Amino acid sequence: MLGQLIEPEISEMIAKREFGALRRALQSFASASIAELFIDLQAAEMTVLFRILPRDRAAEVFEYLPLEQQEALMHELGTDQVAQILNEMAPDDRTALLEELPGPVTRRLIALLTPQERAIATQLLGYPESSVGRLMTPDYISVRENLTVGQVLDHIRKVGHDKETLNVIYVVDEKGTLLDDIRLRELILAEPEAPVSSLMDRQFVTLRADQDQEESVRAFQQYDRVALPVVDSSGLLVGMITVDDVMDVAEEEATEDIQKIGGMEAIDASYLNTGFWRMIRKRGGWLSVLFVGEMLTATAMGYFEAEIAKAVVLALFVPLIISSGGNTGSQASTLIVRSLALQELRLGDWWRVLMRELRSGLTLGAWLGLIGFVQVLVGQSFGWIDYGEHYLRLGVTVWISLTGVVAFGSTTGSMLPFFLRAVHLDPATSSAPFVATLVDVTGLIIYFSVATLVLRGALL
Amino acid sequence: MLGQLIEPEISEMIAKREFGALRRALQSFASASIAELFIDLQAAEMTVLFRILPRDRAAEVFEYLPLEQQEALMHELGTDQVAQILNEMAPDDRTALLEELPGPVTRRLIALLTPQERAIATQLLGYPESSVGRLMTPDYISVRENLTVGQVLDHIRKVGHDKETLNVIYVVDEKGTLLDDIRLRELILAEPEAPVSSLMDRQFVTLRADQDQEESVRAFQQYDRVALPVVDSSGLLVGMITVDDVMDVAEEEATEDIQKIGGMEAIDASYLNTGFWRMIRKRGGWLSVLFVGEMLTATAMGYFEAEIAKAVVLALFVPLIISSGGNTGSQASTLIVRSLALQELRLGDWWRVLMRELRSGLTLGAWLGLIGFVQVLVGQSFGWIDYGEHYLRLGVTVWISLTGVVAFGSTTGSMLPFFLRAVHLDPATSSAPFVATLVDVTGLIIYFSVATLVLRGALL
């Protein structure tokens, strides 16, 4: 929004080397807005703009940039400036950047950190990828329960300036075991002389550092918090996760699921930032697998070559019938994939879903079949198309086949995500194209089998 | 998690009427956990459990319940209890419930509110559905800039107990125009004697009450805040939106998009909570439209009936070829729909995307065509299937057609979301089945046209 409005002027100032005016112009914008402005700039312009920012502003703006742009900028900047930015970044944002880069680059960058920041970085990078540990920040405040509220507030005033969020502080025992979380608002509302223990209810929700990030999204949604503490397997407090990072994870997870449902591997960058051949690989892999699967349709139709030769009119309905099965299957699988992701459905619900999808499929199939039947009748009566003297039997064939194919599609589409979850694969892999391919071959067999039965003695 | 573990015991306690033990058992759980427990219970059990909760706990637990369950519970509870819960709910959660209910029920419930709460409810309900105004809460704290930090903290201690979040407070002028936002942490870290104006930088991000909720998701993601102020068209502060509500909106939007991509209308409840016929309508509508569109394939194939009669072998490849176009189109449209939703792509990028998708489509099509060509050759050589003496020309037909059909699929699939956005429709409507249907008819025409050219004088 902002970027589009002022970009031309900024470009002009850069071109004219009006750095003083530029610096003054940028002063009045929030860091997030400056980052937004950067996104539309060329790499060279971006570097110029970045260098004229005050030191502390630079690190802040850098944190708001997308990962790809952070990477591009690091290539352009000198080692000193990179070291300075890295040391001033919040640990969780820094971890996100470091884990995105190739191994040797990450090692070189870690070497630029101060010993203290290096210890934090390597600890966070020690957790598995996509784990809560990678997402957490060690920038939290913890206190002991024998302090008073006033002492805690003094402590916050002393150490709080560098901390990522002060909305929640944590109470720990002498070993560092988490005892409770206390919101800053509770401290403000309490009497300064009151002991911390008087605010404690020992009810708190924690995340474990080795949990998957996806589970942190569920926890934040369920408990409506702005931050959650992270503990290790023995209950020691090791970090904190903030809601802004969790929102980013939720968005990424949804994007991955959507891309998988669309029938491709998840790409982990934006469309225009993904290279041509990388994109071809991500899409071509699944397409090839589906294509080879779909080759079975040629084999299936080969079995009925004699029937098609006798009644070419049968071939006309092939795309209509198999696509209806595919469409219903794609609806069903999409519904179930999302419900499983949101934990509205559990693995044990499969039987209930199967029965329901069978009913839905038969109902929808009978309805679509009716439309098909009417079309054959109307087309024949008005003379738009000639289905031959046995058009009534042909219409019945279409009706019955559609009922069967659509019922098969919706049950297959709904059961595939359950099956994938049961064998510990991602249910989202059950994409619309995947389901359609599964349903196509069976759809053809159902259609030609019904045709053989209904049209025997007539067309066949 | 919790629900599944303790549910049997709870049910037993209810059955045995051990209300004292039950009340004690529930005391040690957080409100969100009790709500989770409710989700697995029968309506009757839920009502019993709800009635034994202390008054303030009841409203809290109620807020955490899904909307469908809130509705069910309201039917079971007496008017007094409903009035009490409604009056104690946070205004934004109450609005979400009221707007979900049928009009007459909403009016009856609003009548149960105290005059003060009623004014808030009707004001929030005055904003259009899915607007920021419906999502906001008037429970914020605003102060004037001539106060000192100490005076503000005293004010917070006095009025803060009922407020939804205290992490941010707002500075307004005498008319109520928003001047700045100040985080609670800044107040804590400042000297008590300092004037509020010394903390102000007059840089703040606002949402307008009439904006779409989806835009609030983008704003929260961009600015990493836990709350954002809402202003009316003249800049007056009218409310505040908190990040927990925005996370719910983000999840709903993703679910809606996923369902639309799966080729159906978005359902606004979970799978098992949507009635059978309601689900049939949501799915059947689009299926019928797609079916009628797909009927054109029969018409298209009708034009080539003579060719099929002469060379039945052509019919065998129909499903393979049209499904490849559909699969590529579904990939492309899914990618673009998500990129538009995340604002990684703008409307003006369409030409860049078109050129890129044309290249991708030709590359992927040529690759799949090669697989198809090899299959024809190998199948013929090993005698698995007999494509006749002109099998080489048939293979070439398949190869060329696939290149064309896949390129057509990926360009159509990528342009449809842009087109829908341009005419102010939701790009997510561009579902995999929708794109497949568009591509199928053209795919058939491409295939049979290529066949007519390549096989002329041979099979045809």
Side-chain angles (χ1 to χ4, degrees):
Chain A
M1 319 172 269
L2 176 72
Q4 288 164 299
L5 281 176
I6 60 169
E7 194 196 334
E9 280 110 90
I10 296 282
S11 291
E12 210 184 300
M13 287 192 208
I14 295 173
K16 293 191 183 156
R17 311 264 140 194
E18 295 171 346
F19 296 137
L22 204 49
R23 193 193 295 257
R24 279 191 302 279
L26 290 178
Q27 237 150 33
S28 59
F29 294 114
S31 301
S33 306
I34 300 180
E36 199 193 343
L37 176 69
F38 271 38
I39 291 171
D40 296 318
L41 291 179
Q42 308 292 322
E45 291 179 329
M46 191 159 73
T47 316
V48 171
L49 211 53
F50 203 77
R51 288 211 168 103
I52 66 165
L53 287 174
R55 295 173 59 142
D56 51 332
R57 264 323 251 300
E60 252 184 73
V61 170
F62 192 79
E63 285 181 8
Y64 279 110
L65 290 175
L67 282 172
E68 307 99 63
Q69 234 137 351
Q70 291 185 342
E71 218 179 312
L73 204 48
M74 310 232 358
H75 283 292
E76 300 281 332
L77 296 171
T79 313
D80 279 4
Q81 214 163 355
V82 169
Q84 185 196 315
I85 291 167
L86 282 177
N87 277 304
E88 287 191 13
M89 279 178 87
D92 49 350
D93 294 325
R94 187 172 53 210
T95 309
L97 171 64
L98 291 177
E99 76 182 2
E100 194 62 19
L101 298 169
V105 180
T106 305
R107 276 197 297 281
R108 218 186 57 219
L109 293 178
I110 288 177
L112 298 177
L113 296 173
T114 63
Q116 199 191 354
E117 295 295 324
R118 196 181 309 156
I120 295 172
T122 47
Q123 195 207 337
L124 291 181
L125 286 169
Y127 293 102
E129 213 175 326
S130 299
S131 71
V132 163
R134 290 277 182 113
L135 206 61
M136 70 190 184
T137 170
D139 270 354
Y140 55 85
I141 292 185
S142 61
V143 297
R144 299 286 297 280
E145 60 182 316
N146 50 12
L147 299 178
T148 66
V149 167
Q151 286 172 316
V152 169
L153 287 175
D154 285 341
H155 178 64
I156 292 176
R157 286 194 191 98
K158 216 158 50 197
V159 303
H161 289 275
D162 290 335
K163 303 299 177 183
E164 173 131 342
T165 177
L166 288 177
N167 296 324
V168 192
I169 64 150
Y170 299 103
V171 185
V172 294
D173 69 8
E174 69 285 357
K175 280 186 253 150
T177 309
L178 182 62
L179 300 179
D180 205 356
D181 55 357
I182 295 182
R183 284 187 283 180
L184 187 55
R185 55 179 290 178
E186 295 174 74
L187 290 171
I188 305 290
L189 298 175
E191 294 300 322
E193 301 77 32
V196 165
S197 54
S198 70
L199 298 179
M200 290 168 65
D201 58 4
R202 291 177 193 266
Q203 283 183 17
F204 53 91
V205 181
T206 60
L207 294 167
R208 273 212 334 281
D210 56 354
Q211 271 183 305
D212 193 275
Q213 293 181 0
E214 203 166 346
E215 294 174 49
S216 71
V217 176
R218 295 289 137 245
F220 271 85
Q221 264 162 352
Q222 188 178 350
Y223 295 100
D224 290 353
R225 301 294 168 88
V226 294
L228 281 178
V230 180
V231 296
D232 66 10
S233 52
S234 57
L236 291 180
L237 182 63
V238 292
M240 173 182 71
I241 284 195
T242 53
V243 70
D244 53 314
D245 294 322
V246 169
M247 276 192 84
D248 294 342
V249 171
E251 184 182 282
E252 271 169 43
E253 303 276 352
T255 302
E256 275 181 33
D257 277 5
I258 286 176
Q259 287 170 350
K260 286 188 187 162
I261 288 171
M264 57 181 295
E265 275 180 68
I267 54 170
D268 39 20
S270 68
Y271 179 83
L272 290 176
N273 281 310
T274 307
F276 180 76
W277 287 106
R278 186 181 168 79
M279 182 74 93
I280 291 284
R281 275 198 307 277
K282 292 276 182 187
R283 290 163 68 169
W286 251 121
L287 276 186
S288 308
V289 171
L290 294 171
F291 186 83
V292 171
E294 194 75 24
M295 289 197 312
L296 287 174
T297 57
T299 315
M301 285 190 73
Y303 281 109
F304 299 102
E305 212 176 333
E307 281 79 4
I308 300 174
K310 268 194 264 176
V312 173
V313 73
L314 278 182
L316 308 191
F317 290 97
V318 163
L320 182 63
I321 286 176
I322 63 176
S323 73
S324 301
N327 290 347
T328 330
S330 130
Q331 284 188 340
S333 99
T334 308
L335 265 174
I336 304 302
V337 166
R338 187 62 179 167
S339 296
L340 284 173
L342 297 180
Q343 298 181 2
E344 291 170 359
L345 284 178
R346 291 167 190 162
L347 207 45
D349 291 319
W350 73 272
W351 178 253
R352 251 171 102 184
V353 172
L354 176 62
M355 285 299 104
R356 184 156 175 177
E357 285 303 314
L358 187 61
R359 270 212 302 159
S360 300
L362 288 171
T363 312
L364 290 168
W367 163 245
L368 295 182
L370 175 63
I371 303 181
F373 179 74
V374 169
Q375 188 229 2
V376 171
L377 249 62
V378 170
Q380 184 76 22
S381 316
F382 284 78
W384 295 335
I385 192 161
D386 185 19
Y387 295 112
E389 55 171 330
H390 298 294
Y391 70 95
L392 260 182
R393 289 211 198 187
L394 186 69
V396 171
T397 303
V398 169
W399 196 340
I400 298 178
S401 309
L402 275 169
T403 312
V405 170
V406 168
F408 182 79
S410 73
T411 47
T412 308
S414 61
M415 288 302 107
L416 190 59
F418 281 107
F419 171 75
L420 290 169
R421 166 65 59 90
V423 298
H424 302 289
L425 289 172
D426 185 351
T429 315
S430 160
S431 60
F434 185 12
V435 172
T437 302
L438 276 183
V439 172
D440 280 356
V441 179
T442 328
L444 286 171
I445 296 173
I446 294 176
Y447 174 50
F448 283 109
S449 305
V450 171
T452 312
L453 283 173
V454 177
L455 298 175
R456 175 160 297 155
L459 275 172
L460 298 177
Chain B
M1 318 174 268
L2 177 71
Q4 287 164 300
L5 280 175
I6 60 168
E7 195 196 332
E9 279 111 273
I10 296 283
S11 291
E12 210 185 298
M13 286 192 209
I14 296 173
K16 290 193 185 157
R17 309 265 141 196
E18 294 171 347
F19 296 138
L22 205 49
R23 193 193 294 256
R24 278 191 304 277
L26 290 178
Q27 237 150 31
S28 59
F29 293 114
S31 300
S33 305
I34 299 180
E36 200 194 340
L37 177 69
F38 271 38
I39 291 170
D40 296 319
L41 291 179
Q42 308 290 324
E45 290 179 331
M46 191 159 74
T47 316
V48 171
L49 211 53
F50 203 78
R51 288 210 168 104
I52 67 165
L53 286 173
R55 295 172 60 142
D56 51 333
R57 265 320 253 302
E60 252 184 74
V61 170
F62 191 79
E63 284 182 8
Y64 279 109
L65 289 176
L67 282 172
E68 308 100 61
Q69 235 137 351
Q70 290 185 341
E71 217 179 313
L73 203 49
M74 311 231 0
H75 283 291
E76 299 282 332
L77 296 171
T79 312
D80 280 3
Q81 214 163 356
V82 169
Q84 185 195 317
I85 291 168
L86 280 177
N87 278 303
E88 287 192 13
M89 279 178 86
D92 48 351
D93 294 325
R94 186 172 54 211
T95 309
L97 171 65
L98 290 176
E99 77 182 1
E100 193 62 17
L101 299 168
V105 181
T106 304
R107 278 197 297 279
R108 218 187 56 219
L109 291 179
I110 288 177
L112 296 177
L113 296 172
T114 63
Q116 196 190 359
E117 296 294 323
R118 195 181 310 155
I120 295 172
T122 46
Q123 195 207 340
L124 292 182
L125 286 169
Y127 293 102
E129 212 174 329
S130 299
S131 71
V132 163
R134 290 279 181 111
L135 205 61
M136 72 190 183
T137 169
D139 269 355
Y140 56 84
I141 292 185
S142 61
V143 297
R144 299 286 297 280
E145 59 182 317
N146 50 11
L147 297 181
T148 65
V149 168
Q151 285 173 316
V152 170
L153 287 175
D154 285 341
H155 177 64
I156 292 176
R157 287 197 189 94
K158 215 158 49 202
V159 302
H161 290 275
D162 289 335
K163 303 299 177 183
E164 173 133 344
T165 176
L166 287 176
N167 296 323
V168 192
I169 65 150
Y170 299 103
V171 184
V172 294
D173 69 8
E174 70 284 356
K175 280 186 253 148
T177 310
L178 182 62
L179 300 179
D180 205 354
D181 54 359
I182 295 183
R183 283 186 283 179
L184 186 55
R185 54 178 291 177
E186 295 174 76
L187 290 172
I188 304 290
L189 298 175
E191 295 300 321
E193 302 78 32
V196 164
S197 53
S198 70
L199 299 179
M200 290 170 64
D201 59 4
R202 291 175 192 268
Q203 282 183 18
F204 52 93
V205 182
T206 60
L207 294 168
R208 274 212 332 282
D210 57 354
Q211 270 182 306
D212 192 273
Q213 292 181 1
E214 203 166 348
E215 294 175 49
S216 71
V217 177
R218 295 289 135 245
F220 271 84
Q221 265 163 351
Q222 189 179 349
Y223 296 101
D224 290 352
R225 301 294 168 87
V226 294
L228 281 177
V230 181
V231 296
D232 66 10
S233 53
S234 57
L236 290 181
L237 181 63
V238 292
M240 173 181 70
I241 284 195
T242 53
V243 70
D244 53 312
D245 294 323
V246 170
M247 275 191 85
D248 294 343
V249 171
E251 184 181 283
E252 270 169 43
E253 303 277 353
T255 302
E256 274 181 34
D257 277 5
I258 286 175
Q259 287 170 350
K260 286 188 187 161
I261 288 170
M264 57 181 296
E265 275 180 67
I267 55 171
D268 40 19
S270 68
Y271 179 84
L272 291 175
N273 281 311
T274 308
F276 180 77
W277 287 107
R278 185 180 170 79
M279 182 73 94
I280 291 284
R281 276 197 308 276
K282 292 277 181 185
R283 288 163 68 170
W286 250 122
L287 275 186
S288 309
V289 172
L290 293 172
F291 186 83
V292 170
E294 194 73 27
M295 290 196 312
L296 287 175
T297 56
T299 317
M301 284 189 73
Y303 282 109
F304 299 102
E305 211 174 335
E307 281 79 4
I308 299 173
K310 267 194 264 175
V312 173
V313 72
L314 279 181
L316 308 192
F317 290 96
V318 163
L320 181 64
I321 285 175
I322 62 176
S323 73
S324 300
N327 290 347
T328 329
S330 130
Q331 284 188 341
S333 98
T334 309
L335 264 174
I336 304 304
V337 165
R338 187 62 180 167
S339 295
L340 285 172
L342 297 180
Q343 298 180 3
E344 291 170 358
L345 284 177
R346 291 167 187 162
L347 208 46
D349 291 318
W350 72 273
W351 177 253
R352 250 172 102 186
V353 171
L354 176 62
M355 286 299 105
R356 185 160 171 173
E357 285 302 314
L358 187 60
R359 270 212 302 159
S360 300
L362 288 172
T363 312
L364 290 168
W367 162 246
L368 295 182
L370 176 63
I371 303 181
F373 179 73
V374 168
Q375 188 229 1
V376 171
L377 250 61
V378 171
Q380 185 75 22
S381 314
F382 284 79
W384 295 335
I385 193 162
D386 184 20
Y387 295 112
E389 54 170 330
H390 298 293
Y391 70 95
L392 259 183
R393 288 208 197 190
L394 185 69
V396 170
T397 304
V398 169
W399 195 342
I400 298 177
S401 311
L402 275 169
T403 312
V405 170
V406 168
F408 182 80
S410 74
T411 47
T412 309
S414 61
M415 288 303 105
L416 189 59
F418 280 106
F419 172 76
L420 290 169
R421 166 64 58 91
V423 298
H424 302 288
L425 290 173
D426 185 352
T429 314
S430 157
S431 60
F434 186 11
V435 172
T437 302
L438 277 184
V439 173
D440 280 355
V441 180
T442 329
L444 286 171
I445 296 173
I446 293 176
Y447 173 51
F448 283 109
S449 307
V450 171
T452 314
L453 284 174
V454 176
L455 298 174
R456 176 159 299 155
L459 275 171
L460 299 178

